């Protein structure tokens, strides 16, 4: 914790703690590279982060102005400077927050009369230059911020009182364990056979994380939320499907696992056409196209079939749907890789950035970086999150692509069932021509992301306008908000207690080649709009193999139980538990402490025995 | 499970953190406690998540103690949540020969309390270790001062330890485990985590799961 200087030389300096950067950090550190991993933010996981509610409010408030300092005095001969920028201002815009207190809450609240009721306050922080034009609006919005935050605090306090009697209202603690309202920037799940899951298992990083299975897949159709039958069990259990439909669906799902001549004939034509000609009927077509393949009307048959197969292959590995969600939120995953990097000697500094790169003019290589404290640090390679690199140096898709996001806290599930701990993925086809398909994930408190009795809902789609324009019409239809068109009809809909809208750069807009950067500088994009993590893992692996083509990417880390504890010598005698070992003995001991490998099972047993509920 | 009837033997798994400034002897204490070893040669801790000590607490209780050393990020106090997650106890270590490491103790304690809590919201039990007491200088704080420091900062207690001469390491661990067990018996957890998934175990395929009736 002491404010010491960092070592002045590393093999790899990495800026940004997003998923791709963190995976790369773990991979380099694991094979013995000296890694310095920094982030200018005060939290891990960059745009992949999960926040507590308070953390999220802080994030909303934090729009730093980027101060450029002149470090040219630290230059050596033949070097030039590339300045880096603030990643948040570049990647986030159109942030809007709404806070609703419903009638029901009013009944529960007693003393806190200061809470505005049925008042929707909204403020608009534009992080980009366009905001300057609307300066008057932004200014007035500035005044409401304080009120707004007070209101939000009240809401959370109320819920703390309602559901978590031991929390004092003023003191909503930071740890997600107690204050469970979390959030993450991207709606994202993990395919149970995707490259992230494979990497977690291969590298043993999986030991740091726990997951929940997404318990059901839903779809929104004709104004109603319905469950999509996707596994055999679901199909048989389904009440919406007729016997004929069940048989057709089973036959289709079985047949599409293999490539047939009939399918080949449809290559180059839309998948929807192929489905129509299978004579499945509207119901099944909808389920397969939107919820199983998760493609659009225009997707080609070969692509649609590949998505369908991927879905089916992932089914059943861990549960009833192909998706996993990390307990405590997605922001855990980059941190798991950071921990692995640190365990193998990587050095971590948050609230610490790299101000500029020093580039050798002749070789066009980055020789060193200057950190935010003005220290010169030599490195052989530099890996950086896209957001830190100024727009003039990178090649991105034009026009720039954005994703629209909404984060909601609601009071009940969009589709009630016998369990209040469902984790649901909801696929929502475009509600009108020209609109984008929306994906929604509804998390229950079992994922440790929200308070018991509330749900955390994420919506995401490709932007056509601001996040509010893109998503609020849908939100007011599915949920009960003051904007809902027909108040009488939305009685049974979940109420929105709080919501946040924002746009964020689509990571898939970053080109892989052609950036104006030194040859040993590698850029990682932020999250993209897809549902999986393939892109980030691929990027990290590509960077790793470019730098160290002969090394293994994330080989399994040894189990703590198998580790040789001291490295003074290299003897490797297999020892029993050496109780009476002389302390002066400088010889190496391989203490096999525990024969039994600590498996998850034993952990579970231990927890179970010690946590018998009292009722 | 040799002694006593199987049904009565309880097994506990406790994650305990060992934190403190660079070079105060965290790794030495762990090594002494778990492996009965001490080496003069200090090495930064590489490749190790935790060391496991299995304690036959009494005839009915088996305790598996995971001691989590902090890794390469230690100098800067930026541990990931992975490190703190689900810890139920902590040792904060300082070096009696270096006053600055004692001054950092309250920072570490504060950091600890802000990052992890018990299920009921109270801080996790923690014990202060005044390590390297074999090299103790006279200027070291009096017992009275240390006692009141522990009270103020919320430590259960403190021990003068020496990993080198094996002084008080077992005693301190016993003291902490005793407190963790007391907490554990007093507090039923809110949720059972039975349906969480670990990726290294291939679970039953969905098709064979119940719930389809």
């Amino acid at each position: 914790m002491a404010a010491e200087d960092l070592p002045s030389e590393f093999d790899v300096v990495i800026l940004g703690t997003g998923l791709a950067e963190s995976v790369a950090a773990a991979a380099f550190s694991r094979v013995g590279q000296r890694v310095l991993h920094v982030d200018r933010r005060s939290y891990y996981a960059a745009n992949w982060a999960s926040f507590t509610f308070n953390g999220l409010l802080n994030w909303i408030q934090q729009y730093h102005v980027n101060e450029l300092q002149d470090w040219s005095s630290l230059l050596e001969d033949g070097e030039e400077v590339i300045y880096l920028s603030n990643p948040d201002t570049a990647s986030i815009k159109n942030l809007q927050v709404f806070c609703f207190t419903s009638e029901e809450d009013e009944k529960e609240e007693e003393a806190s009369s200061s809470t505005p009721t049925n008042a929707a306050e909204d403020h608009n922080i534009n992080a980009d230059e366009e905001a300057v034009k609307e300066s008057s609006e932004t200014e007035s919005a500035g005044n409401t911020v304080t009120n707004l935050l007070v209101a939000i605090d009240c809401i959370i306090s109320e819920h703390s009182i309602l559901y978590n009697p031991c929390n004092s209202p003023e003191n909503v603690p930071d740890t997600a364990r107690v204050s469970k309202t979390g959030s993450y920037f991207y709606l994202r799940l993990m395919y149970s056979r995707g490259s992230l899951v494979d990497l977690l298992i291969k590298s043993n990083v999986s030991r740091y994380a726990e997951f929940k299975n997404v318990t059901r897949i839903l779809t929104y159709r004709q104004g109603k939320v319905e469950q999509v039958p996707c596994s055999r069990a679901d199909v048989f259990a389904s009440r919406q499907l007729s016997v004929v439909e069940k048989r057709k669906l089973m036959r289709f799902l079985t047949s599409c696992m293999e490539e047939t001549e009939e399918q080949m004939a449809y290559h180059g034509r839309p998948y929807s056409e192929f489905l129509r000609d299978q004579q499945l009927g509207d119901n099944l077509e909808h389920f397969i196209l939107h919820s199983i393949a998760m493609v659009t009307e225009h997707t080609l048959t070969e692509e649609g079939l590949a998505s369908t197969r991927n879905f089916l292959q992932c089914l059943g590995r861990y549960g009833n749907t192909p998706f996993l969600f990390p307990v405590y939120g997605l922001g855990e995953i980059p941190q798991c890789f950071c921990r692995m990097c640190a365990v193998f000697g990587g050095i971590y500094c948050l609230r610490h950035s790299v101000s500029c790169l020093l580039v050798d003019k002749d070789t066009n290589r980055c020789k060193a970086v200057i950190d935010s404290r003005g220290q010169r640090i030599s490195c052989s390679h530099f890996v950086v999150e896209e957001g830190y690199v100024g727009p003039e140096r990178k090649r991105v898709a034009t026009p720039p692509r954005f994703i629209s996001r909404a984060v909601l806290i609601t009071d009940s599930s969009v589709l009630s069932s016998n369990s209040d701990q469902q984790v649901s993925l909801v696929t929502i086809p475009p509600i009108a021509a020209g609109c984008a398909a929306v994906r929604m994930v509804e998390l229950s408190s079992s994922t440790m992301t929200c308070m018991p009795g509330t749900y955390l809902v994420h919506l995401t789609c490709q932007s056509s306008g601001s996040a509010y324009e893109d998503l609020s019409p849908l939100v007011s239809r599915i949920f009960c908000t003051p904007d809902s068109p027909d108040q009488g009809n939305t009685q049974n809909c979940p109420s929105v207690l709080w919501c946040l809208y924002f746009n964020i750069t689509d990571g898939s807009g970053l080109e892989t080649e052609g950036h104006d950067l030194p040859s040993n500088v590698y850029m990682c994009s932020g999250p993209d709009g897809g549902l999986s993590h393939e892109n980030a893992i691929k990027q990290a692996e590509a960077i790793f193999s470019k730098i160290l083509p002969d090394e293994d990417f994330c080989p399994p880390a040894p189990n703590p139980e198998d580790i040789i504890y001291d490295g003074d010598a290299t003897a490797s005698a297999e020892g029993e538990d050496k109780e009476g070992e002389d302390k002066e003995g400088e010889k190496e001991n391989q203490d096999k402490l525990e024969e039994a490998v600590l498996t998850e099972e034993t952990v579970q047993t231990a927890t179970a025995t010690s946590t018998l509920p009292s009722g | 499970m040799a002694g006593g009837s199987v049904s009565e033997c309880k097994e506990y798994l406790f994650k305990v953190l060992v934190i403190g400034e660079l070079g105060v002897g965290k790794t030495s204490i762990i090594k002494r406690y778990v492996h009965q070893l001490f080496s003069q040669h200090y090495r930064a801790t590489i490749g190790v998540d935790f060391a496991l000590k299995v304690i036959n607490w009494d005839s009915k209780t088996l305790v598996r103690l995971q001691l989590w050393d902090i890794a390469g990020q230690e100098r800067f106090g930026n541990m990931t949540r992975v490190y703190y997650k689900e810890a139920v106890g902590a040792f904060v270590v300082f070096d009696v020969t270096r006053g600055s490491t004692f001054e950092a103790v309250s920072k570490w304690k504060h950091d600890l309390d802000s990052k992890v809590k018990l299920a009921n919201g109270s801080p996790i039990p923690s014990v202060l270790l005044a390590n390297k007491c074999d090299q103790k200088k006279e200027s070291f704080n009096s017992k009275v001062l240390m006692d009141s420091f522990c009270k103020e900062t919320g430590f259960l207690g403190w021990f003068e330890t020496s990993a080198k001469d094996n002084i008080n390491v077992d005693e301190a661990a016993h003291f902490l485990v005793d407190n963790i067990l007391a907490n554990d018996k007093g507090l039923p957890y809110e949720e059972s985590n039975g349906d969480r998934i670990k990726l290294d175990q291939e679970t039953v395929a969905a098709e064979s799961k119940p719930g389809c009736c």
Side-chain angles (χ1 to χ4, degrees):
Chain A
M1 281 205 157
E4 296 168 54
D5 272 353
L6 290 161
S8 58
E9 204 188 328
F10 287 91
D11 295 314
V12 187
V13 173
I14 301 177
L15 176 59
T17 49
L19 183 59
E21 302 94 281
S22 301
V23 171
F28 285 121
S29 175
R30 179 69 188 86
V31 298
Q33 299 279 301
R34 294 165 302 164
V35 174
L36 173 65
H37 197 177
V38 297
D39 199 312
R40 106 191 276 287
R41 305 166 176 96
S42 57
Y43 51 87
Y44 281 97
N47 281 353
W48 310 74
S50 304
F51 291 118
T52 61
F53 194 74
N54 274 352
L56 183 63
L57 297 184
N58 283 336
W59 175 79
I60 291 168
Q61 280 192 309
Q62 267 174 11
Y63 276 92
H64 312 279
V65 182
N66 198 23
E67 292 163 34
L68 268 189
Q69 271 178 288
D70 186 11
W71 298 116
S72 47
S73 59
L74 293 161
L75 247 66
E76 289 174 5
D77 283 349
E79 289 177 354
E80 60 180 359
V81 182
I82 298 178
Y83 283 101
L84 298 179
S85 55
N86 176 354
D88 288 337
T89 49
S91 59
I92 311 276
K93 60 177 192 175
N94 301 328
L95 189 88
Q96 285 174 280
V97 179
F98 298 85
C99 179
F100 312 110
T101 32
S102 68
E103 306 267 333
E104 213 174 313
D105 286 316
E106 202 182 13
K107 273 181 247 154
E108 307 280 354
E109 90 192 42
E110 283 157 21
S112 50
S113 53
S114 63
T115 313
T117 306
N118 282 337
E121 297 193 43
D122 118 55
H123 72 140
N124 193 334
I125 304 170
N126 271 294
D128 54 353
E129 282 75 21
E130 288 165 39
V132 180
K133 282 182 269 171
E134 306 166 290
S135 59
S136 62
E137 193 193 316
T138 322
E139 250 177 55
S140 65
N143 290 330
T144 63
V145 171
T146 5
N147 293 336
L148 172 76
L149 295 184
V150 170
I152 291 162
D153 271 335
C154 289
I155 291 250
I156 285 302
S157 307
E158 277 166 31
H159 285 280
S160 309
I161 294 162
L162 285 175
Y163 304 115
N164 239 7
C166 26
N167 287 352
S168 73
E170 291 78 24
N171 182 23
V172 182
D174 281 335
T175 27
R177 180 151 193 180
V178 185
S179 157
K180 288 166 186 166
T181 308
S183 165
Y184 59 108
F185 284 121
Y186 274 80
L187 171 110
R188 191 169 298 262
L189 300 165
M190 298 165 55
Y191 274 105
S192 62
R193 291 190 194 277
S195 50
L196 177 57
V197 169
D198 291 345
L199 180 65
L200 284 165
I201 294 173
K202 177 195 171 199
S203 63
N204 270 344
V205 170
S206 60
R207 72 162 80 118
Y208 299 131
E210 289 178 301
F211 299 86
K212 282 279 185 185
N213 213 89
V214 170
T215 54
R216 55 184 187 172
I217 293 178
L218 308 176
T219 188
Y220 182 72
R221 202 159 67 113
Q222 291 150 7
K224 268 177 28 201
V225 176
E226 303 173 27
Q227 182 159 358
V228 176
C230 52
S231 69
R232 185 171 305 184
D234 283 350
V235 173
F236 286 126
S238 171
R239 290 200 201 109
Q240 309 119 271
L241 298 182
S242 69
V243 177
V244 178
E245 281 177 320
K246 287 183 184 184
R247 211 173 293 147
K248 276 184 181 169
L249 181 59
M250 285 313 296
R251 198 186 312 137
F252 176 80
L253 294 179
T254 316
S255 73
C256 79
M257 290 310 288
E258 277 163 30
E259 187 116 69
T260 63
E261 274 180 32
E262 190 197 354
Q263 293 166 7
M264 304 283 269
Y266 282 86
H267 280 199
R269 291 159 64 190
Y271 192 42
S272 49
E273 215 174 293
F274 171 75
L275 291 177
R276 198 163 313 127
D277 293 350
Q278 300 292 307
Q279 319 221 314
L280 297 160
D282 285 351
N283 263 345
L284 298 183
E285 256 180 68
H286 177 98
F287 289 153
I288 295 167
L289 190 70
H290 297 293
S291 304
I292 292 180
M294 287 185 256
V295 295
T296 69
E297 303 275 345
H298 312 290
T299 308
L300 297 180
T301 302
E302 52 270 37
E303 214 179 299
L305 278 168
S307 306
T308 307
R309 284 186 199 123
N310 183 39
F311 183 101
L312 294 173
Q313 278 156 1
C314 291
L315 263 187
R317 186 173 190 182
Y318 294 106
N320 229 0
T321 74
F323 301 106
L324 294 172
F325 181 81
V327 175
Y328 295 110
L330 183 80
E332 291 295 291
I333 301 300
Q335 291 193 57
C336 292
F337 285 97
C338 291
R339 169 72 188 174
M340 181 62 81
C341 174
V343 162
F344 283 89
I347 292 185
Y348 277 81
C349 286
L350 298 178
R351 299 177 202 85
H352 198 110
S353 189
V354 169
S355 320
C356 58
L357 313 182
L358 304 183
V359 183
D360 187 292
K361 283 177 193 158
D362 298 332
T363 59
N364 190 31
R365 287 178 71 85
C366 169
K367 289 169 65 182
V369 301
I370 308 287
D371 76 1
S372 43
R373 291 202 200 125
Q375 188 189 347
R376 184 186 162 113
I377 298 166
S378 309
C379 62
S380 316
H381 301 278
F382 181 66
V383 178
V384 60
E385 175 193 330
E386 173 199 353
Y388 289 92
V389 178
E392 69 285 355
R393 292 206 170 259
K394 58 190 177 195
R395 267 187 51 201
V396 295
T398 43
R401 271 184 245 158
F402 283 91
I403 291 163
S404 292
R405 294 276 294 105
V407 181
L408 279 53
I409 300 173
T410 67
D411 67 348
S412 58
S413 173
V414 290
L415 184 64
S416 58
S417 70
N418 50 13
S419 162
D420 62 354
Q421 293 299 337
Q422 301 272 9
V423 180
S424 316
L425 167 66
V426 191
T427 56
I428 305 162
I431 48 172
C435 291
V438 174
R439 284 186 195 132
M440 178 162 107
V441 169
E442 183 188 77
L443 302 166
S444 62
S445 62
S446 66
T447 60
M448 309 300 282
T449 56
C450 53
M451 297 283 196
T454 64
Y455 292 82
L456 185 66
V457 179
H458 293 276
L459 293 103
T460 198
C461 70
Q462 291 290 333
S463 302
S464 41
S466 77
Y468 182 76
E469 289 159 5
D470 288 346
L471 294 170
S472 66
L474 188 67
V475 168
S476 59
R477 279 197 212 185
I478 300 182
F479 300 94
C480 176
T481 73
D483 300 338
S484 294
D486 187 353
Q487 292 291 329
N489 265 349
T490 49
Q491 290 281 321
N492 299 323
C493 295
S495 294
V496 177
L497 306 173
W498 186 87
C499 63
L500 162 73
Y501 293 93
F502 62 93
N503 293 88
I504 185 163
T505 307
D506 182 349
S508 70
L510 184 74
E511 305 283 341
T512 37
E513 301 286 330
H515 308 291
D516 178 20
L517 288 171
S519 59
N520 59 341
V521 171
Y522 310 85
M523 207 164 17
C524 298
S525 64
D528 57 35
L531 205 53
S532 74
H533 303 74
E534 310 294 314
N535 208 9
I537 308 296
K538 254 189 230 151
Q539 274 178 14
E541 196 163 359
I543 292 168
F544 181 84
S545 58
K546 234 184 248 172
I547 297 177
L548 299 172
D550 301 325
E551 292 278 2
D552 195 4
F553 180 68
C554 290
N559 274 324
E561 286 84 3
D562 306 337
I563 280 170
I564 303 165
Y565 211 75
D566 200 347
D568 292 356
T570 48
S572 59
E574 186 81 5
E576 296 294 321
D577 200 353
K578 296 187 180 173
E579 286 242 326
E581 188 67 38
D582 192 335
K583 67 182 178 194
E584 261 75 58
E586 287 289 338
K587 81 176 165 100
E588 178 54 35
N589 271 279
Q590 185 175 17
D591 250 16
K592 265 240 157 167
L593 212 253
E594 191 25 36
E595 291 297 319
V597 178
L598 182 69
T599 62
E600 172 59 12
E601 252 169 338
T602 58
V603 178
Q604 299 277 2
T605 320
T607 330
T609 41
S610 60
T611 59
L612 288 175
S614 59
Chain B
M1 317 240 166
S5 96
V6 174
S7 60
E8 283 193 17
C9 186
K10 274 192 177 180
E11 230 181 87
Y12 294 91
L13 179 80
F14 293 140
K15 173 173 172 179
V16 169
L17 310 177
V18 184
I19 57 182
E21 293 289 277
L22 184 69
V24 295
K26 298 180 292 295
T27 308
S28 299
I29 287 174
I30 292 174
K31 228 166 56 174
R32 164 58 73 192
Y33 180 59
V34 175
H35 307 261
Q36 277 83 35
L37 284 177
F38 180 80
S39 162
Q40 292 285 359
H41 303 285
Y42 181 83
R43 298 191 125 228
T45 319
I46 300 285
V48 185
D49 256 320
F50 59 81
L52 186 73
K53 172 96 171 175
V54 181
I55 312 166
N56 290 306
W57 190 256
D58 57 32
S59 61
K60 289 178 196 159
T61 318
L62 185 79
V63 174
R64 292 162 179 275
L65 203 61
Q66 284 185 352
L67 291 158
W68 284 60
D69 208 337
I70 62 184
Q73 73 276 57
E74 59 189 344
R75 269 178 288 182
F76 306 98
N78 294 139
M79 273 85 75
T80 53
R81 239 179 52 73
V82 173
Y83 177 74
Y84 291 103
K85 186 162 72 178
E86 272 141 37
V88 294
F91 290 114
V92 179
V93 188
F94 71 98
D95 174 352
V96 294
T97 66
R98 286 190 293 148
S100 63
T101 65
F102 177 72
E103 280 153 33
V105 164
S106 7
K107 264 193 296 177
W108 283 106
K109 178 71 166 76
H110 183 261
D111 187 56
L112 176 73
D113 292 345
S114 70
K115 299 270 173 59
V116 61
K117 286 183 168 59
L118 295 177
N120 67 355
S122 55
I124 64 169
S126 55
V127 171
L128 181 61
L129 302 183
N131 196 33
K132 306 196 187 175
C133 70
D134 54 292
Q135 304 170 41
K136 188 162 71 172
K137 291 180 193 163
E138 280 157 33
S139 62
F140 180 61
N141 289 342
S142 76
K143 289 201 164 17
V144 182
L145 273 176
M146 284 298 287
D147 285 342
S148 72
F149 176 80
C150 284
K151 214 170 223 175
E152 276 164 33
T153 36
F155 286 103
L156 294 173
W158 66 286
F159 286 84
E160 279 187 294
T161 55
S162 163
K164 184 167 171 244
D165 294 346
N166 198 11
I167 300 168
N168 268 345
V169 177
D170 286 354
E171 288 77 0
H174 190 277
F175 179 73
L176 182 62
V177 171
D178 210 19
N179 274 283
I180 295 170
L181 279 167
N183 265 333
D184 210 88
K185 279 169 184 148
L187 303 166
Y189 283 71
E190 278 175 71
E191 72 269 319
S192 106
N193 304 331
D195 58 341
R196 290 196 191 164
I197 297 165
K198 276 286 196 183
L199 294 188
D200 43 359
Q201 79 195 49
E202 290 282 333
T203 44
V204 205
E207 308 293 52
S208 63
K209 272 195 170 175
C212 52
C213 45

